Structure formats: structure tokens, C-alpha cells
Amino acid sequence: MSTLQEHLDAFDALRDDSAASYRWQATHRGGDHAFHVVVSCLVHGNEVGSLPGINRVLTALRSGELSYGGTFTVVIANPEAGLADRRFLEQDLNRMFGNLDGDAHECRRAAELAPILATAEVYLDLHQTILATEEPFTIFPWHADCWKWARVLNAASACVTRPANQGFALGGQICADEYVRDLGKPGFTLELSQKGFSQEAEDLAFKAVCNLLAAADRIARGTTTLDDEAGQCPELVFWQTDHRESFVDPAMCLRDGLVNFTPVQAGEVLSAPGTPVFTAPLTGRLLFPKYPERDASGAAIAPIPSEISRVITQVPEHPETAWV
Ligand SMILES: [Zn+2]
């Protein structure tokens, strides 16, 4: 399998955009309409799996195998962290879009990316999970247009959502997709698979972006509407966080083998033998289980995450009617 450097070199050869404001930006201009689709990858540097799929999209656009009449921009957001095999170098880039004046590498990068994101009609941010996931999923606070575009991708049936007024990060820490939503445009995240290169991640990224471009083209040409496009794709299955298990004691430890979307039953023990006992308070799936590094005594090493895992459950009613 190729290395990240080889995929970055391939991107460089495809980007053909000397006028770009940002070093790791590729822009396709179809010339027929102004609808601007923006896709990002490597916002978390070591979530590299989408890049080969992105290069396939750019190759297909160049050869004419794929067409798009509007403007399509791809950015590789944090290749420096990717090459260091890290999530970020100084600060989490996906929290820096409210901090565009800072000096950290990721603050400066957010300031470079923000003007590009600000011109998106729709924005898709391609991520991967730290641990494995039983299935890919989209994630965004409830937003009707994000729901419709997430359906249009036809790449993940699971959607992790929450009522629109519940923030994800702390105050002032703005995610890339949140930055776009705050400007009144749909922006959302697709979690493809566990971080790293895989055929699964490449194929899913390629499929999602191809479907996004095809639908955006038809909508911009006026031959269809977003409602019609979404209605032709399968409905999503909506999940919401029902329980957050706080990481109150460094000795807390999940039992082995838990990943994203692992089914759990109410009362099931989630802790490892010989560590403080905690159970799933309700039946659902696990999300973002964490296995931090530990010292010789078994205590998690700082910085300890605020949560050791979440339990998500299916939203009982369609969010479009329940939350609006
Ligand atoms: Zn990520």
C-alpha cells in the first residue's frame, strides 16, 4: 500500500491550480454554474483514509470519466500532522474555527481554510474514527439540509445527531463544519472507517463525493431539487447520545474489544475485570469508546478524556418532526 507522502505527491500532480490561495487545495471549475462543493480531508492529520478516494475523484474529473458543471474544491487540511502520524501538531484543528487569530499551526491553518469554507454551498468533511466502527456514519446537530445532503451521499445509513441547540465542543471552539453551518449553509461530517488507509475508506470516500457532485450538478441545473434527490435515496437511521460515562477515576478501564456501534444491553458490564465497575445504563450502541495509555499501575495517563464512552440509542421519532 502506498504511503501518505505518495498520495500527497499524487494529489500535487492532480491539483493543477497555481492560483489557489492555499497550498493543499485542488479546484475543478466546470464552467456551467456557480454551485460550489467543498470537501476536506485530514482535518485530523492521521485520518488519512479518504485521500486515495479524493485522488480518484480528481483523476476521473480530469479524464472526463466524471463531470461536474460547477466548482469543486478539495482541501487537505492538515498534511503536516498526517506526515507526523498525529491527530494535530499543536491544537485540534477541528476546534480552531473560532480562533482564527491564534499563533498555533492549526490556528493559522484554520484562518487559511475559513475563506474557502465560507464560499461553499455545501461542505463535506471526511473523517475516520480512532477505533474501528461497525458501520460508517454521518454526524451533525439536527439541520434539515444536512440530513438531505447526507442522504444524497448514499454512503452511510447511520446518522449521529442531536437537537440543534446542543453544542458539540466547548464555547468558542468551532468545528470546520460548524463554521459553515454558522454561515447558514449545510456542512457535515462523514466518518468513513477506522483511521488509516483501506480499500473500504477509499471506495466509500469516492462513492460519497461522486454522489454529492452528481446531485449538486442536477440541482444547480434546475432539473431536480434537493428534496427530490434526497427522497430517491434510502432514509437514514438516526442515533442520539443518551448516556455519557464520565472518566471520573483514572483507574476506570473499558473491557477489551469494544468499538463504535458495538451493541450493548442495559446492565451489561462495560468495565474490564479488576477495575472500577460500570455498566451500560440502557440498551443501545457504544460510541467513541476510549482506551487511553496507562502507567504501570493501570491508571490512565493525562490528559484523561472527559468521557470513557457514550451509549447512543435510536431517535424514537424522525428528528424533522420531533425537534423542529
Ligand atoms: Zn476526525
Side-chain angles (χ1 to χ4, degrees):
M1 188 167 290
S2 304
T3 63
L4 175 57
Q5 186 62 61
E6 287 168 323
H7 290 296
L8 291 172
D9 291 344
F11 179 87
D12 244 348
L14 287 162
R15 72 189 192 97
D16 187 24
D17 199 358
S18 51
S21 61
Y22 170 55
R23 163 71 180 83
W24 295 101
Q25 169 184 351
T27 301
H28 161 88
R29 293 178 181 84
D32 291 340
H33 56 78
F35 199 95
H36 190 196
V37 175
V38 177
V39 174
S40 58
C41 47
L42 280 81
V43 164
H44 290 134
N46 54 6
E47 298 170 11
V48 295
S50 59
L51 184 53
I54 289 297
N55 284 341
R56 255 168 74 189
V57 170
L58 295 173
T59 301
L61 283 168
R62 178 174 281 196
S63 72
E65 185 189 330
L66 185 67
S67 69
Y68 179 61
T71 302
F72 169 55
T73 299
V74 180
V75 293
I76 306 178
N78 201 349
E80 298 87 350
L83 289 167
D85 195 21
R86 290 168 60 180
R87 187 171 176 85
F88 53 81
L89 295 182
E90 297 180 84
Q91 298 281 336
D92 187 335
L93 177 57
N94 212 23
R95 302 289 181 273
M96 290 301 114
F97 286 83
N99 188 12
L100 303 179
D101 298 326
D103 277 337
H105 165 71
E106 281 83 7
C107 296
R108 287 182 272 118
R109 182 53 45 81
E112 285 186 282
L113 296 176
I116 300 168
L117 301 187
T119 61
E121 300 294 335
V122 58
Y123 168 54
L124 173 63
D125 192 12
L126 295 171
H127 283 248
Q128 291 179 292
T129 49
I130 294 172
L131 295 180
T133 183
E134 299 280 348
E135 54 184 309
F137 58 97
T138 52
I139 184 164
F140 52 86
W142 186 252
H143 183 291
D145 279 356
C146 288
W147 159 49
K148 292 168 192 171
W149 283 110
R151 264 177 95 168
V152 162
L153 299 185
N154 208 358
S157 66
C159 173
V160 176
T161 185
R162 58 191 180 273
N165 57 358
Q166 287 180 15
F168 175 73
L170 298 172
Q173 299 193 331
I174 296 178
C175 305
D177 57 1
E178 186 178 8
Y179 179 79
V180 172
R181 289 193 303 274
D182 285 350
L183 296 170
K185 297 290 173 60
F188 62 103
T189 291
L190 171 61
E191 300 277 0
L192 295 164
S193 62
Q194 185 171 22
K195 69 183 163 73
F197 293 119
S198 65
Q199 194 64 48
E200 175 195 9
E202 174 183 333
D203 291 347
L204 203 59
F206 180 74
K207 176 183 177 181
V209 176
C210 287
N211 288 342
L212 176 60
L213 291 176
D217 210 23
R218 291 189 290 265
I219 292 166
R221 292 178 194 278
T223 59
T224 182
T225 63
L226 178 57
D227 284 325
D228 287 343
E229 289 288 334
Q232 287 169 24
C233 297
E235 182 55 286
L236 309 179
V237 179
F238 301 103
W239 298 87
Q240 62 183 344
T241 298
D242 258 306
H243 176 72
R244 297 162 189 263
E245 190 70 42
S246 295
F247 213 137
V248 290
D249 177 350
M252 286 172 75
C253 183
L254 286 168
R255 68 173 212 251
D256 286 344
L258 301 173
V259 300
N260 293 291
F261 279 86
T262 296
V264 292
Q265 300 294 319
E268 184 176 333
V269 174
L270 300 178
S271 48
T275 67
V277 175
F278 59 95
T279 60
L282 67 175
T283 296
R285 307 285 188 103
L286 285 188
L287 193 69
F288 305 141
K290 296 189 176 68
Y291 294 88
E293 288 192 41
R294 293 182 183 271
D295 65 20
S297 76
I301 295 169
I304 296 171
S306 58
E307 301 164 4
I308 194 162
S309 71
R310 298 181 187 185
V311 178
I312 56 174
T313 58
Q314 274 194 47
V315 182
E317 231 186 298
H318 198 295
E320 183 66 353
T321 48
W323 292 345
V324 174

PDB file of all heavy atoms in Angstrom, residues 6 11 22 41 71 79 103 141 143 151 164 180 189 195 224 239 243 315:
ATOM      1  N   GLU A   6       3.264   9.465  -0.783  1.00  0.00           N
ATOM      2  CA  GLU A   6       2.968   9.134  -2.187  1.00  0.00           C
ATOM      3  C   GLU A   6       1.577   9.627  -2.588  1.00  0.00           C
ATOM      4  O   GLU A   6       1.383  10.127  -3.702  1.00  0.00           O
ATOM      5  CB  GLU A   6       3.094   7.614  -2.394  1.00  0.00           C
ATOM      6  CG  GLU A   6       4.557   7.177  -2.374  1.00  0.00           C
ATOM      7  CD  GLU A   6       4.738   5.666  -2.277  1.00  0.00           C
ATOM      8  OE1 GLU A   6       3.959   4.998  -1.570  1.00  0.00           O
ATOM      9  OE2 GLU A   6       5.678   5.170  -2.907  1.00  0.00           O
ATOM     10  N   PHE A  11      -1.722  13.846  -5.286  1.00  0.00           N
ATOM     11  CA  PHE A  11      -2.635  14.992  -5.195  1.00  0.00           C
ATOM     12  C   PHE A  11      -1.995  16.221  -5.830  1.00  0.00           C
ATOM     13  O   PHE A  11      -2.628  16.946  -6.600  1.00  0.00           O
ATOM     14  CB  PHE A  11      -2.973  15.255  -3.727  1.00  0.00           C
ATOM     15  CG  PHE A  11      -3.894  16.419  -3.502  1.00  0.00           C
ATOM     16  CD1 PHE A  11      -5.277  16.253  -3.544  1.00  0.00           C
ATOM     17  CD2 PHE A  11      -3.395  17.691  -3.230  1.00  0.00           C
ATOM     18  CE1 PHE A  11      -6.135  17.327  -3.324  1.00  0.00           C
ATOM     19  CE2 PHE A  11      -4.237  18.769  -3.011  1.00  0.00           C
ATOM     20  CZ  PHE A  11      -5.616  18.584  -3.062  1.00  0.00           C
ATOM     21  N   TYR A  22      -4.475  28.428  -1.107  1.00  0.00           N
ATOM     22  CA  TYR A  22      -3.975  27.506  -0.089  1.00  0.00           C
ATOM     23  C   TYR A  22      -3.155  26.416  -0.771  1.00  0.00           C
ATOM     24  O   TYR A  22      -3.539  25.884  -1.811  1.00  0.00           O
ATOM     25  CB  TYR A  22      -5.175  26.927   0.687  1.00  0.00           C
ATOM     26  CG  TYR A  22      -4.828  25.783   1.606  1.00  0.00           C
ATOM     27  CD1 TYR A  22      -3.836  25.924   2.571  1.00  0.00           C
ATOM     28  CD2 TYR A  22      -5.486  24.556   1.494  1.00  0.00           C
ATOM     29  CE1 TYR A  22      -3.502  24.867   3.404  1.00  0.00           C
ATOM     30  CE2 TYR A  22      -5.168  23.499   2.325  1.00  0.00           C
ATOM     31  CZ  TYR A  22      -4.168  23.657   3.272  1.00  0.00           C
ATOM     32  OH  TYR A  22      -3.836  22.613   4.094  1.00  0.00           O
ATOM     33  N   CYS A  41     -10.334  16.735   3.703  1.00  0.00           N
ATOM     34  CA  CYS A  41      -9.849  15.510   4.335  1.00  0.00           C
ATOM     35  C   CYS A  41      -8.644  15.870   5.206  1.00  0.00           C
ATOM     36  O   CYS A  41      -8.099  16.968   5.095  1.00  0.00           O
ATOM     37  CB  CYS A  41      -9.528  14.430   3.310  1.00  0.00           C
ATOM     38  SG  CYS A  41      -8.575  14.934   1.905  1.00  0.00           S
ATOM     39  N   THR A  71     -18.212  24.433  -9.416  1.00  0.00           N
ATOM     40  CA  THR A  71     -16.865  24.488  -8.860  1.00  0.00           C
ATOM     41  C   THR A  71     -16.773  23.496  -7.707  1.00  0.00           C
ATOM     42  O   THR A  71     -17.664  23.426  -6.860  1.00  0.00           O
ATOM     43  CB  THR A  71     -16.544  25.914  -8.362  1.00  0.00           C
ATOM     44  OG1 THR A  71     -16.678  26.806  -9.469  1.00  0.00           O
ATOM     45  CG2 THR A  71     -15.136  26.002  -7.818  1.00  0.00           C
ATOM     46  N   PRO A  79      -1.945  18.116   6.399  1.00  0.00           N
ATOM     47  CA  PRO A  79      -0.998  17.067   5.993  1.00  0.00           C
ATOM     48  C   PRO A  79       0.248  17.029   6.867  1.00  0.00           C
ATOM     49  O   PRO A  79       0.858  15.968   7.019  1.00  0.00           O
ATOM     50  CB  PRO A  79      -0.657  17.448   4.541  1.00  0.00           C
ATOM     51  CG  PRO A  79      -0.952  18.904   4.433  1.00  0.00           C
ATOM     52  CD  PRO A  79      -2.109  19.157   5.368  1.00  0.00           C
ATOM     53  N   ASP A 103      -1.713  31.737  17.115  1.00  0.00           N
ATOM     54  CA  ASP A 103      -0.392  31.504  16.533  1.00  0.00           C
ATOM     55  C   ASP A 103      -0.083  30.034  16.270  1.00  0.00           C
ATOM     56  O   ASP A 103       0.869  29.718  15.571  1.00  0.00           O
ATOM     57  CB  ASP A 103       0.699  32.043  17.477  1.00  0.00           C
ATOM     58  CG  ASP A 103       0.897  33.528  17.282  1.00  0.00           C
ATOM     59  OD1 ASP A 103       0.555  34.015  16.177  1.00  0.00           O
ATOM     60  OD2 ASP A 103       1.375  34.192  18.228  1.00  0.00           O
ATOM     61  N   PRO A 141     -25.385  18.238  14.287  1.00  0.00           N
ATOM     62  CA  PRO A 141     -26.589  18.596  15.035  1.00  0.00           C
ATOM     63  C   PRO A 141     -27.735  18.744  14.032  1.00  0.00           C
ATOM     64  O   PRO A 141     -27.490  19.038  12.852  1.00  0.00           O
ATOM     65  CB  PRO A 141     -26.233  19.941  15.666  1.00  0.00           C
ATOM     66  CG  PRO A 141     -25.162  20.499  14.802  1.00  0.00           C
ATOM     67  CD  PRO A 141     -24.418  19.326  14.225  1.00  0.00           C
ATOM     68  N   HIS A 143     -30.203  19.493  11.334  1.00  0.00           N
ATOM     69  CA  HIS A 143     -30.180  20.551  10.329  1.00  0.00           C
ATOM     70  C   HIS A 143     -30.795  19.895   9.094  1.00  0.00           C
ATOM     71  O   HIS A 143     -30.233  18.931   8.558  1.00  0.00           O
ATOM     72  CB  HIS A 143     -28.717  20.964  10.097  1.00  0.00           C
ATOM     73  CG  HIS A 143     -28.520  22.096   9.143  1.00  0.00           C
ATOM     74  ND1 HIS A 143     -28.756  21.988   7.799  1.00  0.00           N
ATOM     75  CD2 HIS A 143     -28.084  23.369   9.337  1.00  0.00           C
ATOM     76  CE1 HIS A 143     -28.474  23.144   7.211  1.00  0.00           C
ATOM     77  NE2 HIS A 143     -28.076  23.998   8.131  1.00  0.00           N
ATOM     78  N   ARG A 151     -28.275  12.085   3.077  1.00  0.00           N
ATOM     79  CA  ARG A 151     -28.971  11.014   2.347  1.00  0.00           C
ATOM     80  C   ARG A 151     -28.436  10.888   0.930  1.00  0.00           C
ATOM     81  O   ARG A 151     -28.251   9.782   0.408  1.00  0.00           O
ATOM     82  CB  ARG A 151     -30.467  11.336   2.277  1.00  0.00           C
ATOM     83  CG  ARG A 151     -31.279  10.678   3.342  1.00  0.00           C
ATOM     84  CD  ARG A 151     -32.724  11.109   3.242  1.00  0.00           C
ATOM     85  NE  ARG A 151     -33.530  10.157   2.469  1.00  0.00           N
ATOM     86  CZ  ARG A 151     -34.863  10.197   2.440  1.00  0.00           C
ATOM     87  NH1 ARG A 151     -35.521  11.127   3.117  1.00  0.00           N
ATOM     88  NH2 ARG A 151     -35.536   9.311   1.738  1.00  0.00           N
ATOM     89  N   ALA A 164     -30.645  20.796  17.588  1.00  0.00           N
ATOM     90  CA  ALA A 164     -29.753  21.812  17.016  1.00  0.00           C
ATOM     91  C   ALA A 164     -29.126  22.720  18.057  1.00  0.00           C
ATOM     92  O   ALA A 164     -28.069  23.288  17.838  1.00  0.00           O
ATOM     93  CB  ALA A 164     -30.521  22.644  15.992  1.00  0.00           C
ATOM     94  N   VAL A 180     -19.268  26.401   8.750  1.00  0.00           N
ATOM     95  CA  VAL A 180     -20.104  26.537   7.549  1.00  0.00           C
ATOM     96  C   VAL A 180     -21.586  26.652   7.938  1.00  0.00           C
ATOM     97  O   VAL A 180     -22.306  27.498   7.406  1.00  0.00           O
ATOM     98  CB  VAL A 180     -19.853  25.356   6.584  1.00  0.00           C
ATOM     99  CG1 VAL A 180     -20.841  25.368   5.429  1.00  0.00           C
ATOM    100  CG2 VAL A 180     -18.413  25.403   6.067  1.00  0.00           C
ATOM    101  N   THR A 189     -20.162  16.070   8.688  1.00  0.00           N
ATOM    102  CA  THR A 189     -19.019  15.152   8.736  1.00  0.00           C
ATOM    103  C   THR A 189     -19.456  13.734   8.406  1.00  0.00           C
ATOM    104  O   THR A 189     -20.517  13.288   8.850  1.00  0.00           O
ATOM    105  CB  THR A 189     -18.392  15.219  10.147  1.00  0.00           C
ATOM    106  OG1 THR A 189     -17.775  16.503  10.303  1.00  0.00           O
ATOM    107  CG2 THR A 189     -17.355  14.137  10.360  1.00  0.00           C
ATOM    108  N   LYS A 195      -9.274   4.885  11.398  1.00  0.00           N
ATOM    109  CA  LYS A 195      -8.251   5.720  10.760  1.00  0.00           C
ATOM    110  C   LYS A 195      -7.168   4.877  10.094  1.00  0.00           C
ATOM    111  O   LYS A 195      -6.783   3.814  10.594  1.00  0.00           O
ATOM    112  CB  LYS A 195      -7.657   6.709  11.749  1.00  0.00           C
ATOM    113  CG  LYS A 195      -6.805   6.125  12.858  1.00  0.00           C
ATOM    114  CD  LYS A 195      -6.363   7.248  13.794  1.00  0.00           C
ATOM    115  CE  LYS A 195      -5.867   6.742  15.115  1.00  0.00           C
ATOM    116  NZ  LYS A 195      -4.565   6.100  15.068  1.00  0.00           N
ATOM    117  N   THR A 224     -33.726  19.109 -10.940  1.00  0.00           N
ATOM    118  CA  THR A 224     -34.252  18.407  -9.780  1.00  0.00           C
ATOM    119  C   THR A 224     -34.084  19.326  -8.560  1.00  0.00           C
ATOM    120  O   THR A 224     -33.535  20.414  -8.682  1.00  0.00           O
ATOM    121  CB  THR A 224     -33.491  17.073  -9.583  1.00  0.00           C
ATOM    122  OG1 THR A 224     -34.039  16.376  -8.468  1.00  0.00           O
ATOM    123  CG2 THR A 224     -32.019  17.315  -9.311  1.00  0.00           C
ATOM    124  N   TRP A 239     -29.390   8.324  15.382  1.00  0.00           N
ATOM    125  CA  TRP A 239     -28.937   7.942  16.722  1.00  0.00           C
ATOM    126  C   TRP A 239     -28.620   9.196  17.508  1.00  0.00           C
ATOM    127  O   TRP A 239     -28.113  10.182  16.950  1.00  0.00           O
ATOM    128  CB  TRP A 239     -27.667   7.084  16.621  1.00  0.00           C
ATOM    129  CG  TRP A 239     -27.856   5.800  15.886  1.00  0.00           C
ATOM    130  CD1 TRP A 239     -27.753   5.603  14.530  1.00  0.00           C
ATOM    131  CD2 TRP A 239     -28.207   4.529  16.443  1.00  0.00           C
ATOM    132  NE1 TRP A 239     -28.009   4.286  14.224  1.00  0.00           N
ATOM    133  CE2 TRP A 239     -28.285   3.611  15.377  1.00  0.00           C
ATOM    134  CE3 TRP A 239     -28.437   4.076  17.743  1.00  0.00           C
ATOM    135  CZ2 TRP A 239     -28.597   2.261  15.567  1.00  0.00           C
ATOM    136  CZ3 TRP A 239     -28.752   2.742  17.936  1.00  0.00           C
ATOM    137  CH2 TRP A 239     -28.831   1.841  16.853  1.00  0.00           C
ATOM    138  N   HIS A 243     -26.321   8.583  26.972  1.00  0.00           N
ATOM    139  CA  HIS A 243     -25.542   8.455  28.205  1.00  0.00           C
ATOM    140  C   HIS A 243     -24.074   8.730  27.901  1.00  0.00           C
ATOM    141  O   HIS A 243     -23.535   8.219  26.918  1.00  0.00           O
ATOM    142  CB  HIS A 243     -25.688   7.045  28.790  1.00  0.00           C
ATOM    143  CG  HIS A 243     -24.831   6.829  29.992  1.00  0.00           C
ATOM    144  ND1 HIS A 243     -25.100   7.417  31.208  1.00  0.00           N
ATOM    145  CD2 HIS A 243     -23.679   6.125  30.152  1.00  0.00           C
ATOM    146  CE1 HIS A 243     -24.147   7.065  32.071  1.00  0.00           C
ATOM    147  NE2 HIS A 243     -23.286   6.284  31.464  1.00  0.00           N
ATOM    148  N   VAL A 315     -33.195   7.558  17.687  1.00  0.00           N
ATOM    149  CA  VAL A 315     -34.139   8.638  17.949  1.00  0.00           C
ATOM    150  C   VAL A 315     -35.538   8.070  17.695  1.00  0.00           C
ATOM    151  O   VAL A 315     -35.795   7.525  16.618  1.00  0.00           O
ATOM    152  CB  VAL A 315     -33.851   9.841  17.032  1.00  0.00           C
ATOM    153  CG1 VAL A 315     -34.808  10.992  17.331  1.00  0.00           C
ATOM    154  CG2 VAL A 315     -32.401  10.295  17.184  1.00  0.00           C
TER     155      VAL A 315
END
